């Protein structure tokens, strides 16, 4: 089976703290997987495995396999820059750079050594169209990104991630700081994007997980309790803990 | 108890209220038939409005629960089951109303021999005890009782199938009482439908508790 992302017997420690326990999970290309679970259960930690962002944290120890497109990305000869080009990330709080709208999207291309201005211009426009922001910003490309609303800034960050043509997009609560209309736009966008990308999204909003994802994984205290089709998880979860969590009867 | 738990409990209580009303409607037509009691039959027909009112209220409460609580998993299955059970109970209420109207239109006590050979009274007993038992299955979330309904529905089906021959024979020997015989045949048809509604309700109860879909399943699958 062609699974674009897979972890096997994956364990992660923050010093002595066992944050992820024996996680086996596989995700197919062009699907959306939602990671749900109470705060501190390890969702963000799990997400950060795939672009090796946990490497930046002191005292992290990882055992087991993490494979992206079939390759073990924790092997010594892994090119982390190349990996991060392939695996884009969008955070909870929109984090545009203090630059123009145009330069925000162009940034990743320039860092990757591209300086063909015609190409960059086309790519910026294409990414903004894909992130459903183009119509709102096409007349003010040289304005500061900070002039945009929170929801627009988040779509700008998505455009920035798309510009370098990743195959996987990681999203850590991408809509939790947004108003309902911006949230709906992001959800619509996720639905559109999955035709071309594989998306893994952490969300605290159960209904959002149900709406946007094909598969849902429920984490609890560092363990993967249940992982399956979203339809199944939300109509007939197998594990009592999953049921208690999604029906709001936890603890 | 969560807010949703409280709302679900209220919905359950309301549905049980509807259920008891329908059981009493059916039992009253039973008595009215045996005693040819037109007053009682009239009461049933008049009460039909209350059954419809209950149905609308429960429908409306389910709708609100969907819109306001976005139920998932067991909560979702429960609310869906209530919605469908509600509609099956309303249809059962219609059956009682229809029987009440036959009695109102009748022109004298029903011939005891006719009631006996057609087994319509036996059918009545079976149908109303099925309705009571399936209510118990719902109240106590007991799928074992729910499953026992499927076999009993077949008893009603069999009496219904036999009834054409039985009624035809009766008419041949009692050509002066054709009208009553046809009434009884219609009542049998309606009671057979009550059995179907009980069966549908049993399927909904199993769906909500065990998440198994039994609609259109074979007999063997249902027994499992
Ligand atoms: N940098 C860190 N150092 C030490 N512990 C951490 C660090 N980041 C997260 N943790 C711990 O790991 C667990 C999982 O955290 P996290 O992945 O952020 O959970 P979630 O995203 O599900 O809320 C938590 O108990 C958290 O306190
Ligand atoms: Mg997190």
């Amino acid at each position: 089976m062609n699974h674009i992302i897979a972890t096997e017997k994956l364990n992660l420690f923050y010093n002595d703290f066992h944050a992820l326990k024996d996680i086996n999970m596989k995700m197919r290309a062009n699907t959306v997987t939602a990671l749900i679970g109470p705060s501190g259960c390890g969702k963000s930690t799990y997400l950060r495995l795939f672009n090796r962002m946990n490497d930046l944290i002191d005292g992290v120890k990882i055992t087991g396999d993490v494979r992206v497109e079939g390759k073990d990305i924790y092997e010594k000869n892994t090119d982390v820059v190349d990996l991060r080009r392939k695996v884009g990330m969008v955070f909870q709080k929109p984090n545009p750079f203090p630059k123009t709208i145009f330069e925000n999207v162009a940034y990743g291309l320039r860092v990757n050594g591209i300086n063909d201005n015609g190409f960059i211009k086309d790519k910026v426009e294409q990414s903004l169209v894909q992130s459903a922001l183009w119509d709102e910003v096409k007349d003010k490309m040289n304005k500061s990104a900070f002039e945009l609303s929170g929801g627009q800034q988040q779509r700008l960050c998505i455009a920035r991630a798309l510009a370098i043509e990743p195959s996987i997009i990681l999203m850590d609560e991408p809509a939790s700081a947004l108003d309902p209309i911006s949230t709906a736009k992001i959800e619509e966008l996720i639905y559109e994007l999955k035709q071309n990308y594989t998306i893994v999204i952490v969300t605290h909003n159960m209904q959002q997980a149900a709406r946007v994802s094909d598969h849902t994984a429920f984490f609890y205290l560092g363990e993967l309790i249940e992982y399956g089709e979203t339809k199944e998880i939300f109509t007939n979860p197998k594990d009592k803990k999953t049921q208690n969590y999604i029906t709001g009867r936890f603890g | 108890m969560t807010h949703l738990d409280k709302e679900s409990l209220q919905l359950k209580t309301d549905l049980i209220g509807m259920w008891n009303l329908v059981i009493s409607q059916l039992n009253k037509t039973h008595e009215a038939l045996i005693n040819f009691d037109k007053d009682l039959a009239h009461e049933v027909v008049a009460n039909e409005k209350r059954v419809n009112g209950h149905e609308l209220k429960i429908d409306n409460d389910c709708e609100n629960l969907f819109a306001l609580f976005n139920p998932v998993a067991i909560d979702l299955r429960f609310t869906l089951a209530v919605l469908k059970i509600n509609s099956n109970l309303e249809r059962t209420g219609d059956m009682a109303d229809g029987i009440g109207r036959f009695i109102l239109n009748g022109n004298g006590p029903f011939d005891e021999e006719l009631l006996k050979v057609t087994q319509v009274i036996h059918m009545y007993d079976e149908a109303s005890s099925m309705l009571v038992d399936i209510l118990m299955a719902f109240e106590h979330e007991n799928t074992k009782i729910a499953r026992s309904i499927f076999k009993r529905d077949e008893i009603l089906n069999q009496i219904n199938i036999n009834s054409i021959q039985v009624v035809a024979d009766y008419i041949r020997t009692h050509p002066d009482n054709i009208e009553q015989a046809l009434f009884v045949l219609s009542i049998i048809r309606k009671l057979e439908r009550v059995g179907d509604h009980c069966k549908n309700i049993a399927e909904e109860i199993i769906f909500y508790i065990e998440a198994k879909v039994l609609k259109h399943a074979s007999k063997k699958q249902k027994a499992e």
Side-chain angles (χ1 to χ4, degrees):
Chain A
M1 285 291 168
N2 70 356
H3 291 105
I4 185 164
I5 301 176
T7 61
E8 222 175 287
K9 296 216 182 96
L10 189 283
N11 287 277
L12 185 144
F13 298 82
Y14 289 111
N15 296 307
D16 294 338
F17 180 68
H18 199 171
L20 292 173
K21 302 172 186 167
D22 268 327
I23 312 291
N24 297 310
M25 205 158 134
K26 290 172 179 174
M27 297 166 221
R28 244 179 251 286
N30 303 105
T31 61
V32 178
T33 302
L35 310 181
I36 62 169
S39 283
C41 68
K43 305 177 298 291
S44 297
T45 301
Y46 188 71
L47 200 68
R48 287 196 300 260
L49 282 172
F50 303 108
N51 61 357
R52 288 191 48 171
M53 270 207 0
N54 290 322
D55 295 20
L56 309 174
I57 302 167
D58 275 346
V60 168
K61 201 181 98 205
I62 298 167
T63 66
D65 274 359
V66 183
R67 273 191 292 275
V68 169
E69 295 179 340
K71 282 200 216 65
D72 181 350
I73 59 165
Y74 283 83
E75 263 189 356
K76 288 222 165 49
N77 57 9
T78 302
D79 179 347
V80 178
V81 174
D82 187 52
L83 174 72
R84 294 201 182 128
R85 202 189 52 66
K86 225 181 311 193
V87 185
M89 184 140 184
V90 177
F91 299 88
Q92 174 178 6
K93 284 221 186 72
N95 56 346
F97 303 132
K99 293 171 184 288
T100 64
I101 293 169
F102 184 90
E103 283 306 326
N104 260 276
V105 184
Y107 177 81
L109 300 169
R110 297 204 200 280
V111 187
N112 276 282
I114 296 166
N115 41 35
D116 174 343
N117 281 328
F119 177 84
I120 291 178
K121 194 165 173 285
D122 288 349
K123 198 72 209 168
V124 167
E125 173 172 344
Q126 186 196 333
S127 306
L128 285 166
V129 168
Q130 268 189 303
S131 75
L133 189 60
W134 176 247
D135 288 340
E136 292 159 58
V137 300
K138 61 173 185 258
D139 300 324
K140 46 180 171 183
M141 295 296 280
N142 291 319
K143 290 265 164 69
S144 162
F146 294 135
E147 287 183 22
L148 298 174
S149 73
Q152 289 173 325
Q153 288 185 9
Q154 192 61 304
R155 278 178 284 145
L156 181 70
C157 293
I158 293 173
R160 189 175 67 196
L162 296 178
I164 51 173
E165 301 185 349
S167 48
I168 297 164
I169 303 173
L170 310 173
M171 298 182 167
D172 199 345
E173 301 181 40
S176 62
L178 305 181
D179 65 276
I181 294 179
S182 304
T183 299
K185 282 195 177 144
I186 299 284
E187 289 182 7
E188 205 49 44
L189 182 56
I190 292 171
Y191 183 76
E192 295 291 325
L193 291 177
K194 91 172 169 182
Q195 296 181 19
N196 300 308
Y197 306 89
T198 305
I199 297 169
V200 188
I201 176 176
V202 171
T203 175
H204 278 292
N205 179 333
M206 285 313 112
Q207 252 57 49
Q208 180 168 76
R211 283 191 295 265
V212 304
S213 70
D214 302 295
H215 295 91
T216 296
F218 171 59
F219 283 78
Y220 182 56
L221 298 176
E223 287 180 62
L224 176 61
I225 304 295
E226 189 165 348
Y227 173 45
E229 274 195 54
T230 297
K231 273 189 223 122
E232 195 65 20
I233 300 270
F234 282 90
T235 56
N236 183 21
K238 296 289 170 286
D239 195 285
K240 192 80 191 164
K241 289 201 252 336
T242 317
Q243 166 144 307
N244 286 342
Y245 184 70
I246 63 169
T247 59
R249 294 186 176 87
F250 214 67
Chain B
M1 226 202 266
T2 64
H3 186 178
L4 174 58
D5 283 332
K6 282 186 197 143
E7 297 285 335
S8 299
L9 191 65
Q10 185 57 50
L11 195 57
K12 187 169 179 172
T13 309
D14 288 348
L15 189 73
I16 292 170
M18 162 90 165
W19 215 308
N20 282 319
L21 179 61
V22 169
I23 291 171
S24 120
Q25 287 282 86
L26 195 71
N27 288 346
K28 278 178 185 164
T29 61
H30 181 185
E31 235 181 282
L33 175 71
I34 297 175
N35 304 326
F36 196 64
D37 185 340
K38 283 201 178 190
D39 288 342
L40 198 55
H42 193 267
E43 196 183 312
V44 170
V45 172
N47 257 339
E48 166 65 6
K49 277 201 211 78
R50 280 182 57 207
V51 178
N52 292 344
H54 265 70
E55 190 211 11
L56 286 180
K57 168 153 195 329
I58 291 167
D59 262 3
N60 197 26
D61 289 346
C62 288
E63 205 178 304
N64 287 338
L65 212 136
F66 282 123
L68 303 179
F69 292 89
N70 299 304
V72 295
I74 182 108
D75 301 325
L76 172 66
R77 300 199 306 270
F78 171 79
T79 316
L80 282 171
V82 168
L83 199 61
K84 292 191 188 174
I85 292 172
N86 186 37
S87 120
N88 276 284
L89 288 175
E90 193 273 334
R91 304 279 291 280
T92 305
D94 282 349
M95 297 301 135
D97 173 71
I99 296 172
R101 286 172 198 275
F102 285 144
I103 297 165
L104 281 180
N105 289 327
N107 47 17
F110 282 77
D111 175 14
E112 273 181 31
E113 187 194 339
L114 173 63
L115 298 182
K116 188 157 174 282
V117 293
T118 54
Q119 290 189 279
V120 64
I121 300 302
H122 176 44
M123 226 176 158
Y124 247 116
D125 291 338
E126 197 58 38
S128 49
S129 93
M130 275 165 77
L131 254 186
V132 170
D133 289 351
I134 195 69
L135 168 58
M136 195 147 80
F138 176 76
E139 265 194 272
H140 302 291
E141 303 191 344
N142 185 327
T143 53
K144 199 163 165 246
I145 301 177
R147 280 192 163 75
S148 73
I149 295 298
F150 301 130
K151 268 223 169 61
R152 294 165 67 186
D153 177 45
E154 284 169 34
I155 300 173
L156 299 190
N157 289 344
Q158 200 51 52
I159 298 176
N160 178 47
I161 291 168
N162 296 344
S163 66
I164 297 203
Q165 195 54 49
V166 174
V167 170
D169 290 346
Y170 178 87
I171 288 174
R172 259 180 232 112
T173 48
H174 304 76
D176 52 331
N177 205 16
I178 293 177
E179 205 168 68
Q180 270 199 359
L182 293 179
F183 272 158
V184 169
L185 190 62
S186 303
I187 291 172
I188 286 174
R189 291 281 187 273
K190 289 191 187 296
L191 291 173
E192 190 271 334
R193 295 292 301 149
V194 171
D196 289 347
H197 291 308
C198 288
K199 192 189 69 171
N200 293 344
I201 292 171
E203 287 167 356
E204 293 306 326
I205 292 170
I206 292 165
F207 161 75
Y208 126 62
I209 297 167
E210 297 178 0
K212 282 188 189 156
V213 178
L214 291 186
K215 249 186 203 167
H216 314 299
S218 70
K219 277 180 204 156
K220 189 172 158 283
Q221 285 169 310
K222 282 188 177 176
E224 277 161 8

